Each structure stands twice: as C-alpha cells, then as structure tokens.
Amino acid sequence: MTEAISTGQDAQKQAAALRAVAEVEDGMVVGLGSGSTATFAIEALAVRVAAGLRIVGIPTSETTARTARRLGVPLTDFAAHRQVDLTIDGADEVESETLTLIKGRGGALLREKIVALASTRMIAIVDESKLVRRGGLQGPLPVEIVRFGWQTVSDRLAAMGYRPRLRLDRGKPFATDGGNYIVDCAIPPTADLAELDSALRSLVGVIATGIFFGLASAVVVGRARGVEILELRPR
Ligand code: A5P
C-alpha cells in the first residue's frame, strides 16, 4: 500500500479545510471549490456525509463534480437551488487586510465566481504561503475571455499595458469548463484591485477576472502551529 506523503503545506491546507468544513450544518447547500485545498474540504465533507450529515453541493468545476461524486457527496445545481448557504474554496493569494482574493490560476474562475456571488457566506481556505499584503503581484492575474476574436481582446489588454499571455495546455489554448480562454495578465503594483476588476470587465470579450473583491466573509489560514481565522475588521 502506498501512502501519500503529507507535506507541511498539505497539512496546512488540510487543517484549514477541516476547520471550514466544521461550519457546515445539516440541510445546507454548500458551494464546493476547486483546487488542491478545496479537495481536502470535499474529502472532509464526504466523511461527515458518510456519518449522516445531509447537505447538497454545487461544484465550481467539472473536476470538483467528479471528486464529489466519487466520494459520495450529493450534488445539486442552480436549477434546483438559487442560493448557496456556504461556499468553501481555495485561493491563489489572499490580501490579509482586505480579504480580497486572487483566484483562477488553476483554471476554474467564472464558475467559482458565480457560486461565490450566490453564497450567503464564503470561506476561503489557504495555507500561509498564500497570504500577501497586495494581491496580484505573486503571479499573473487570470482573466477569462471569450474564444471568438480572443486575439483582439488580448490586443486591447496589451494596449492597456497588462502584457496578456494566452494560457496553454500541452501547446493548445487552455479551455475553461465554460469553453472560454484565459489570458494571464501582469498588473501594475499600485493598481486598485476593485477598480481594475471593473475596468477589465468593461472590455467587450472579457468574462471575468480572478479578482474576488468583497466575496470572502472569512479566510481560514492553515499555519505551522494551527489555523488562524481572518475576518474583516469593522470599519
Ligand atoms: C482554481 O482555478 C483556483 O481559483 C483555486 O481556488 C486556486 O488556484 C487555489 O488552488 P490550490 O488550493 O490548489 O492552491
């Protein structure tokens, strides 16, 4: 029997996931995030479901839907449930002061945002390496764009100075679950993320950006010595 070796980072992801899953209550509609940290949450949820917890999940990607089905977490969709009680999802970066998230480097983006927007609460779960002072500077900002004329959308982003690069998968354009493309952009270090999100979304052909502004109600951070919960301080 082989056993996966849990790295320190994985242990932190798993600890954050377990803490967030403790917030799930009987009868909830739960948004199921995408990525390695969210997978730990689905696994923890599956254990609770096997023990009798009654919930239904709305997956944020086809990969997540497959994982949930394999583990026995019942799924639903927006046709049956318009409102999600609690979404638990990972993030690529978390601004520790504002709880603004950068997401989408794993390729699930638009669906994650739709589920987050439909959620009463969203808990982001991360290991401590994801915490930053300013978001969008540790890596590119994913921007989901339509396929038709993507070159022209990309040209306009380039003219605005964002140095877009079409994301590739084995030499071909990477397609999201919705069949769209992603361009990874470089953003200026001084950019106001809320304004940038709005400016990018105003371009015809841009569908969504990886800036999740005002969506996380809390962030659970797995740290070497346990978990920390970040919530916005009242202004
Ligand atoms: C998926 O595209 C992303 O938004 C993920 O939430 C993000 O990439 C975090 O993934 P990990 O938990 O694997 O780091």
Side-chain angles (χ1 to χ4, degrees), residues 13 34-38 89-92 103-109 112 130:
K13 290 178 181 184
S34 296
S36 57
T37 317
D89 201 351
D92 299 304
K103 288 178 59 54
R105 293 196 186 130
L109 170 52
E112 286 183 337
K130 306 282 185 67

Side-chain angles (χ1 to χ4, degrees), residues 10 135 151 164 170 174 187 200:
D10 275 350
Q151 298 90 338
R170 284 164 286 184
F174 170 86
I187 63 171
L200 291 172

Side-chain angles (χ1 to χ4, degrees), residues 148-162:
F148 178 82
W150 71 265
Q151 298 90 338
T152 68
V153 182
S154 182
D155 286 349
R156 276 181 280 137
L157 289 166
M160 292 164 83
Y162 298 125

Side-chain angles (χ1 to χ4, degrees), residues 77-95:
D77 57 25
F78 284 115
H81 293 95
R82 281 288 188 286
Q83 189 67 31
V84 177
D85 296 300
L86 169 63
T87 287
I88 301 174
D89 201 351
D92 299 304
E93 295 178 31
V94 173
E95 282 191 350

Side-chain angles (χ1 to χ4, degrees), residues 1-8 10-11 14 39-40 43:
M1 192 178 103
T2 54
E3 215 172 85
I5 298 165
S6 175
T7 63
D10 275 350
Q14 189 170 25
T39 299
F40 282 121
E43 287 168 357

